[in-house]
Amino acid sequence: MDRQVLAVLERGPLYGYLIMEALRVRLGGDLDLPAGGLYPVLRRLERLGYVRSAWVPHEGRQRRTYELTEMGLQECRP
């Protein structure tokens, strides 16, 4: 699942719900991951240095977005 998440984030910063939707599309609707199951994956990728996150304002609320680091970009490319 890590590589799939990195591939989705290669297109640019996204927040959790949009990452899940992009994974569903990428996997043809065959996503075997509970709704809260994405966040441990994102935290692990952040600890490994592949992803960074930031809180950004959106319609009066804060939303955590995730994006690839340079190391994450390198991991995506063969």
Side-chain angles (χ1 to χ4, degrees):
M1 181 55 60
D2 291 5
R3 287 209 180 270
Q4 297 293 338
V5 171
L6 292 176
V8 163
L9 289 173
E10 191 172 16
R11 291 182 269 158
L14 295 171
Y15 61 94
Y17 177 78
L18 289 181
I19 295 170
M20 288 291 286
E21 289 303 307
L23 286 170
R24 273 193 190 89
V25 169
R26 184 175 180 82
L27 299 172
D30 189 29
L31 181 61
D32 187 25
L33 188 66
L38 174 64
Y39 297 100
V41 173
L42 289 167
R43 283 193 298 273
R44 180 176 57 254
L45 291 172
E46 195 167 15
R47 277 193 313 272
L48 292 170
Y50 296 138
V51 171
R52 73 175 143 253
S53 67
W55 288 100
V56 296
H58 177 77
E59 297 179 1
R61 298 174 57 195
Q62 294 290 313
R63 184 178 274 172
R64 186 179 282 267
T65 60
Y66 299 86
E67 67 180 320
L68 293 180
T69 62
E70 188 60 40
M71 199 163 92
L73 281 169
Q74 291 174 8
E75 188 68 21
C76 284
R77 298 187 179 129

